[in-house]
Amino acid sequence: MSENPLAPPRLRFPTDASALTARIWPASATRTDDGELAVGGITASDLARQFGTPLYVVDERDVQARAVRVRTAFSDAFRRIGTRAHVYYAGKAFLTTQVAAWMAAADLRVDVCTGGELAVALAGGVDPGMLGFHGNDKSDAEIARAVEVGVGTIVLDSHEEVQRVARAAAEAGVVQRVRIRINSGVHASTHEYLATAREDQKFGIPLTEAEEAAAAVRAEPSLAFVGLHSHIGSQIFDESGFREAARRLMDVHAALVATGPVPELNLGGGWGIDYTEADSAFAPEDVAEALAAIVAEACAERGIPVPEIAVEPGRYIVGPAGITLYSIGTIKPVTLELDVPASDGAGPVLATEGDALPADEPTSHAATRTYVSVDGGMSDNARPALYGADYTARLARSSDAPAVLSRVVGKHCESGDVVVQDEYLPGDVHRGDLLAVAATGAYCWSLASNYNHVGRPPVVAVADGTARILVRGESIDDLLARDTGVVPATGPGR
Ligand SMILES: Cc1ncc(COP(=O)(O)O)c(C=O)c1O
């Protein structure tokens, strides 16, 4: 067995198709003496027995350690330039009441972007003053609720929100702290749907209109201007985008300092994580150092005080700490005829009907891709369908069987229902095997749906050999509970 010509150039034929690369898997992920995958001291088969599959599994200690690491990295780097840094956890990545509480315990603030996320953070016991409230289309009810509970800062996303938030604060008789989200126009290199600061999109106020927006905020007695905010996108590996956004923001920040106080600057989140061997995430210490250097230099050049800094990572904190466990069902080898062997690294060319092959040339080569179906899919992980996201998968048991190129697919009625587009799995993979997909801690549970009336899986936290449910899974009764036309059961089979 060897390299399969259908494999993309990034995917190497593995020397060990059971190996767990540390930077892709949760910190506690390991193989037991029997070769079985265990996380938080519990084997995959134990977890599947207790909670069924599909199952989201979160390494609680890893999440907490990553949160503390980011906070420490930023506090240290910005202390060195004479200021403070505040880390907001971006709840959109994965928010439950207990996750919110873990963040508060790690001394992080929490960023929410809907009334629902706000309710979860509050229900988790987070001090409202430690919350940031985002959103490009906040309703009046959401604004009123945020003001009423005393949310620390509201991030204004448009000119019209200045008056809407001012009115709500005036009615509540409070002065609301606000930031202004700026679209810096930086073209971060990431998937188009993950880039949030290109000119032609819905978030923020253009850089050129920042001074006008700040003047409007300062004119409202019920608002206190905290500073600017920028978030250029998500799953970004190229540091230059962050540097450029920080530089652009510092220009406007300095202009605003000339006309009044601007105590803070929020530089957003978006740091990429390793989903596959081909990714290479930067360390939070490096991001913190780089941003601190830019801020310090920009302030020195302009002779202005160094502001307090805020950042808002989500994926970095929870992504690598989560996995999803599935049970394997149908397995289907699909053999394809290739015109040209993929020797140039550009991938194979598939033969299509009517293509004439040169007479004396070797005709076609065949290659097989093994379709491995699992008992979940795009309902528990929408990212491959949404962004073409890549993942790494391993069988829970280890195996020495020669690896076969596989595509892990879900059970939904869409051919785009792919969980892992390309992966080498041991060739003895069979129905009933447990499969683990790595780095599913961020934007999987939070983007989950009930497509095909599949219930969303439970989420369990594992630590020190125990597992506890953070969110229970949805049953068929849950799925029917909101449907008003249910006919009462009348007999057998109903
Ligand atoms: C405003 C804002 N802040 C923070 C984040 C978190 O991004 P990430 O999870 O990539 O760090 C997002 C996500 O897109 C966002 O929209």
Side-chain angles (χ1 to χ4, degrees):
M1 289 286 167
S2 62
E3 207 85 40
N4 185 314
L6 295 171
R10 68 147 186 91
L11 186 65
R12 301 267 166 76
F13 187 78
T15 46
D16 175 3
S18 302
L20 304 174
T21 302
R23 62 193 170 87
I24 296 173
W25 293 84
S28 67
T30 182
R31 292 214 175 262
T32 63
D33 292 346
D34 297 339
E36 191 182 351
L37 171 71
V39 186
I42 312 182
T43 61
S45 54
D46 263 0
L47 288 165
R49 243 188 319 275
Q50 283 185 59
F51 305 104
T53 58
L55 180 67
Y56 296 109
V57 182
V58 182
D59 179 339
E60 179 172 346
R61 299 259 180 278
D62 196 12
V63 172
Q64 291 163 340
R66 298 178 75 85
V68 169
R69 181 174 171 189
V70 172
R71 186 198 14 90
T72 309
F74 276 83
S75 305
D76 290 353
F78 283 89
R79 189 181 312 113
R80 281 195 282 277
I81 64 161
T83 190
R84 297 199 304 163
H86 308 287
V87 179
Y88 287 79
Y89 166 64
K92 65 206 73 180
F94 170 50
L95 192 66
T96 74
T97 54
Q98 290 170 82
V99 170
W102 296 346
M103 296 305 150
D107 218 7
L108 265 62
R109 301 177 176 191
V110 179
D111 150 40
V112 297
C113 67
T114 63
E117 288 186 358
L118 173 61
V120 173
L122 292 175
V126 179
D127 172 355
M130 295 295 114
L131 294 175
F133 190 78
H134 265 286
N136 68 297
D137 186 34
K138 303 173 189 78
S139 69
D140 287 339
E142 286 175 322
I143 291 172
R145 179 72 180 147
V147 169
E148 175 200 335
V149 301
V151 154
T153 52
I154 295 182
V155 184
L156 304 174
D157 203 272
S158 58
H159 291 290
E160 61 163 82
E161 266 187 8
V162 177
Q163 274 73 45
R164 293 176 63 220
V165 175
R167 215 176 306 125
E171 277 164 19
V174 298
V175 174
Q176 177 63 53
R177 287 161 44 92
V178 294
R179 302 180 197 274
I180 298 173
R181 180 163 179 176
I182 298 300
N183 179 355
S184 64
V186 169
H187 289 224
S189 63
T190 186
H191 190 281
E192 187 189 345
Y193 293 175
L194 292 173
T196 58
R198 294 178 185 170
E199 293 83 352
D200 195 2
Q201 51 77 43
K202 67 178 182 173
F203 295 109
I205 291 175
L207 210 56
T208 48
E209 295 168 24
E211 289 186 50
E212 174 195 342
V217 168
R218 283 170 165 162
E220 294 290 346
S222 62
L223 299 182
F225 181 51
V226 174
L228 302 175
H229 174 283
S230 149
H231 172 77
I232 59 172
S234 202
Q235 186 57 4
I236 297 168
F237 290 116
D238 181 2
E239 220 181 72
S240 61
F242 296 118
R243 287 174 182 276
E244 183 54 27
R247 267 190 221 105
R248 291 186 190 187
L249 235 65
M250 281 307 301
D251 284 339
V252 185
H253 175 91
L256 294 176
V257 167
T259 50
V262 193
E264 290 187 23
L265 179 66
N266 188 324
L267 296 170
W271 323 329
I273 62 164
D274 295 336
Y275 285 99
T276 72
E277 301 276 349
D279 295 328
S280 83
F282 26 62
E285 291 77 10
D286 295 342
V287 184
E289 287 299 337
L291 292 177
I294 291 167
V295 171
E297 189 186 309
C299 291
E301 270 170 15
R302 293 162 179 84
I304 59 171
V306 180
E308 294 192 4
I309 292 294
V311 286
E312 281 173 5
R315 185 190 313 269
Y316 177 84
I317 292 174
V318 289
I323 65 166
T324 310
L325 280 182
Y326 299 96
S327 295
I328 290 176
T330 303
I331 297 178
K332 237 182 244 181
V334 173
T335 298
L336 304 168
E337 296 294 319
L338 313 178
D339 271 2
V340 184
S343 54
D344 59 0
V349 177
L350 301 186
T352 51
E353 213 179 331
D355 273 359
L357 291 171
D360 297 329
E361 303 243 334
T363 51
S364 65
H365 300 254
T368 300
R369 190 195 311 281
T370 303
Y371 278 79
V372 175
S373 305
V374 295
D375 52 353
M378 64 194 299
S379 57
D380 60 72
N381 189 352
R383 296 190 64 258
L386 206 52
Y387 316 124
D390 282 329
Y391 281 93
T392 295
R394 292 287 180 263
L395 290 186
R397 64 179 169 89
S398 46
S399 163
D400 295 334
V404 293
L405 182 70
S406 307
R407 178 162 292 164
V408 181
V409 294
K411 62 183 290 161
H412 296 281
C413 299
E414 299 272 335
S415 49
D417 174 27
V418 169
V419 179
V420 184
Q421 180 80 3
D422 300 287
E423 182 60 287
Y424 282 106
L425 293 177
D428 60 353
V429 55
H430 56 74
R431 170 178 285 278
D433 262 333
L434 285 174
L435 182 91
V437 176
T440 60
Y443 303 107
C444 288
W445 185 78
S446 55
L447 283 168
S449 77
N450 287 132
Y451 180 43
N452 292 143
H453 286 295
V454 169
R456 281 168 292 189
V459 187
V460 298
V462 291
D464 309 324
T466 57
R468 61 198 174 90
I469 293 189
L470 296 186
V471 186
R472 70 171 174 79
E474 282 173 321
S475 64
I476 294 288
D477 286 344
D478 288 326
L479 296 177
L480 288 172
R482 288 178 303 129
D483 188 320
T484 61
V486 176
V487 178
T490 54
R494 295 301 303 271

